[in-house]
Amino acid sequence: MTNENAKTWRINRQLNLSVFIQLIFLASLIIGSWVNLQRQLDLLQHNVAILIQDNKQFHEKLESLSAKTIEYEYRLQAIEKTIARAHKNEGPY
């Protein structure tokens, strides 16, 4: 009977060690995944910051182009008015 108890103890001890090793492996996988996610989040944050900065620069360029377009539109209207007046003053041939 003591021989059976000794075998049972060994089996239980081996199972407990196996479960302990599996738990350590699982914990290391969880920690590794968490670290990897943190790195990916940092990279994503960096990319979003660059995208926001580029978007601001694009918006500033777009505003500048819009202002120039309005300026050129006024200049064109002024030129057209000047030409129209000149044609009125010339009269018919």
Side-chain angles (χ1 to χ4, degrees), residues 10-92:
R10 282 187 188 164
I11 292 172
N12 286 338
R13 188 175 70 187
Q14 288 174 353
L15 286 177
N16 288 337
L17 182 61
S18 173
V19 169
F20 181 70
I21 290 172
Q22 288 177 358
L23 286 175
I24 290 174
F25 182 69
L26 180 63
S28 67
L29 284 176
I30 291 171
I31 291 171
S33 297
W34 184 79
V35 168
N36 188 26
L37 283 174
Q38 290 299 317
R39 271 193 249 142
Q40 289 182 359
L41 283 174
D42 288 341
L43 182 62
L44 182 64
Q45 182 182 9
H46 181 284
N47 290 342
V48 168
I50 289 173
L51 184 62
I52 289 172
Q53 182 181 2
D54 288 346
N55 190 21
K56 285 180 183 177
Q57 290 174 354
F58 178 75
H59 185 67
E60 289 172 0
K61 288 180 182 178
L62 190 61
E63 283 182 356
S64 173
L65 287 174
S66 178
K68 285 193 182 271
T69 302
I70 292 170
E71 178 185 341
Y72 290 142
E73 184 66 30
Y74 282 126
R75 290 171 116 187
L76 184 60
Q77 287 176 3
I79 292 171
E80 288 173 346
K81 286 179 183 177
T82 304
I83 292 173
R85 283 187 207 135
H87 284 296
K88 283 184 182 179
N89 291 339
E90 288 179 9

